[in-house]
């Protein structure tokens, strides 16, 4: 699986850990930054990751302090379905029922262990389609 990852300064350390986990699993990850702890603005990275996922396919990983700002930014991009998760169940269901294409964490909310488990749950889950496809279609039609 190809991933695109991004964060702001608050999410940088957790993003690095999660990117390393994905690479250990054998996934390809393009990290869109930031590369340093200098203060940055989450909309820049939420938007960048979402645009890549929507145009190139694959999945996205985003981390900021709470996860809210960077998730809101990503979801402004047409075609993005960014899901904020604090544990594995929500992360898994985001993929199975909502066909989420971006997973979001708040580094000031979840520790690396919980986030890692949730990321693996998301990565291993599959969209169930069926009635959920109808709902996702209606969700995406709101953008029209
Ligand atoms: C940065 O201080 C913080 O506001 C940001 O990481 C995030 O929590 C916003 O939603």
């Amino acid at each position: 699986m190809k991933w695109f990852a991004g964060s702001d300064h608050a999410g940088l350390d957790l993003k690095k850990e999660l990117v390393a986990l994905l690479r250990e699993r054998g996934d390809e990850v393009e990290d869109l930054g930031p590369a340093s702890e200098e203060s940055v603005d989450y909309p820049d990275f939420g938007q960048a990751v979402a645009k890549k996922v929507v145009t190139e396919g694959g999945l996205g990983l985003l981390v900021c302090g709470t996860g809210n700002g960077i998730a809101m930014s990503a979801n402004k991009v047409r075609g993005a379905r960014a899901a904020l998760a604090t544990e594995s169940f929500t992360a898994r269901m985001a993929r199975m029922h909502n066909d989420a294409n971006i997973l979001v964490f708040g580094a000031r909310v979840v520790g690396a262990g919980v986030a890692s488990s949730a990321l693996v749950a998301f990565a291993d889950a599959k969209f169930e389609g069926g009635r959920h496809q109808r709902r996702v279609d209606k969700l995406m039609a709101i953008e029209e």
Side-chain angles (χ1 to χ4, degrees), residues 5-118:
S7 71
D8 70 356
H9 51 286
L12 182 64
D13 288 346
L14 180 58
K15 179 197 67 177
K16 282 184 187 169
E17 282 201 48
L18 298 175
V19 165
L21 169 65
L22 289 172
R23 288 180 175 149
E24 279 165 23
R25 283 169 49 93
D27 289 352
E28 182 188 350
V29 186
E30 186 175 333
D31 189 344
L32 302 179
S36 81
E37 288 175 7
E38 189 180 330
S39 182
V40 293
D41 299 331
Y42 56 76
D44 298 335
F45 296 91
Q47 180 181 216
V49 165
K51 281 184 173 169
K52 281 282 196 178
V53 169
V54 167
T55 56
E56 298 185 23
L59 296 171
L61 170 66
L62 287 169
V63 189
C64 72
T66 61
N68 276 325
I70 210 159
M72 290 177 189
S73 310
N75 278 322
K76 294 289 183 191
V77 175
R78 188 181 293 262
R81 289 181 299 281
L84 176 59
T86 55
E87 31 62 45
S88 297
F89 179 74
T90 304
R92 182 180 303 111
M93 297 310 282
R95 192 97 188 273
M96 291 174 68
H97 284 192
N98 312 119
D99 199 17
N101 50 13
I102 301 171
L103 183 61
V104 187
F105 293 111
R108 294 172 178 161
V109 181
V110 293
V114 170
S116 297
S117 300

